[in-house]
């Protein structure tokens, strides 16, 4: 990959995601991180992991990530740029995008005046282990909640300020 980036840099200017596969195993990532940051996409529906079984990573990735609705959402909301040094593009993993989408849905239901009393005010929680990508996920979650929920006018500028220190979403100056 590095040779292509050096020899044909124009090819990568508009690149959002890279899928690397040998036809069986498949990984997804972006241009700037180290190769070990390329990860398998292990779900189609966000609920079941490795639903097609062993030796079906590419099909799982294609049927899961590359579905039109999910891919467009992913490209719009789950690619970040870290610029506290050299610009680094970061992309969310399957567990991060599905967790964010589930929490946003839960928050929308819990904050609705029509919500069942047992759900009202209970948006949910996400548990992680060390190295699971909490920073990317929480940045994406905060941005999604800003887009999807009514936020008090005095809170919105502070949230935007906090987000601006974490990452940029697809644009350098947002």
């Amino acid at each position: 990959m590095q040779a292509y980036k050096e020899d044909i840099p124009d090819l990568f200017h508009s690149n959002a995601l890279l899928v690397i596969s040998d036809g069986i195993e498949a990984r997804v990532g972006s241009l700037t991180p180290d190769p070990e940051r390329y990860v398998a996409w292990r779900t189609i529906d966000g609920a079941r992991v490795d639903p097609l079984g062993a030796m079906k990573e590419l099909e799982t990735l294609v049927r899961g990530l590359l579905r039109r609705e999910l891919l467009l959402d992913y490209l719009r909301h789950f690619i970040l740029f870290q610029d506290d040094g050299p610009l680094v593009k970061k992309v969310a993993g399957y567990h991060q995008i599905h967790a964010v989408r589930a929490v946003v849905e839960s928050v929308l239901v819990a904050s609705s005046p029509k919500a069942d009393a047992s759900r009202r005010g209970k948006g949910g929680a996400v548990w992680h282990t060390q190295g699971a990508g909490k920073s990317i996920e929480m940045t994406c979650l905060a941005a999604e909640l800003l887009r999807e929920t009514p936020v008090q006018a005095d809170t919105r500028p502070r949230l935007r300020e906090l987000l601006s220190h974490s990452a940029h979403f697809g644009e350098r100056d947002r």
Side-chain angles (χ1 to χ4, degrees):
M1 187 59 62
Q2 294 301 325
Y4 291 127
K5 285 168 48 177
E6 291 171 13
D7 294 344
I8 324 168
D10 290 345
L11 184 63
F12 297 99
H13 283 262
S14 61
N15 176 276
L17 286 174
L18 292 175
V19 173
I20 299 172
S21 177
D22 63 2
I24 297 172
E25 293 184 3
R27 301 288 182 268
V28 63
S30 71
L31 276 176
T32 50
D34 297 326
E36 63 268 4
R37 297 293 304 163
Y38 283 75
V39 295
W41 192 272
R42 299 185 56 204
T43 186
I44 293 172
D45 61 7
R48 293 174 296 143
V49 175
D50 298 327
L52 303 178
M55 310 294 283
K56 297 284 190 167
E57 287 182 9
L58 181 58
E59 186 177 351
T60 299
L61 186 146
V62 169
R63 290 177 53 192
L65 174 60
L66 302 182
R67 282 181 296 127
R68 176 185 166 88
E69 173 260 332
L70 183 67
L71 180 61
L72 292 175
D73 188 39
Y74 189 93
L75 293 174
R76 176 75 174 111
H77 303 296
F78 293 92
I79 298 174
L80 302 87
F81 294 90
Q82 183 176 344
D83 65 353
D84 57 349
L87 185 67
V88 176
K89 182 188 304 184
K90 295 184 174 188
V91 296
Y94 73 93
H95 62 291
Q96 294 162 317
I97 186 171
H98 289 294
V100 167
R101 293 172 109 208
V103 171
V104 168
E105 181 180 330
S106 183
V107 167
L108 292 176
V109 168
S111 62
S112 169
K114 299 176 185 174
D116 181 79
S118 65
R119 294 278 320 268
R120 198 169 305 125
K122 298 178 182 175
V126 179
W127 294 93
H128 280 289
T129 59
Q130 184 175 352
K134 293 178 290 297
S135 297
I136 291 173
E137 187 171 310
M138 293 301 110
T139 302
C140 291
L141 177 59
E144 282 293 296
L145 290 173
L146 274 173
R147 279 190 284 278
E148 296 289 335
T149 61
V151 177
Q152 290 180 324
D154 61 335
T155 306
R156 188 173 290 271
R158 178 68 180 135
L159 287 173
R160 287 199 188 284
E161 179 186 341
L162 290 170
L163 281 174
S164 72
H165 293 294
S166 298
H168 296 281
F169 291 86
E171 301 172 16
R172 294 287 298 219
D173 298 311
R174 190 167 216 181

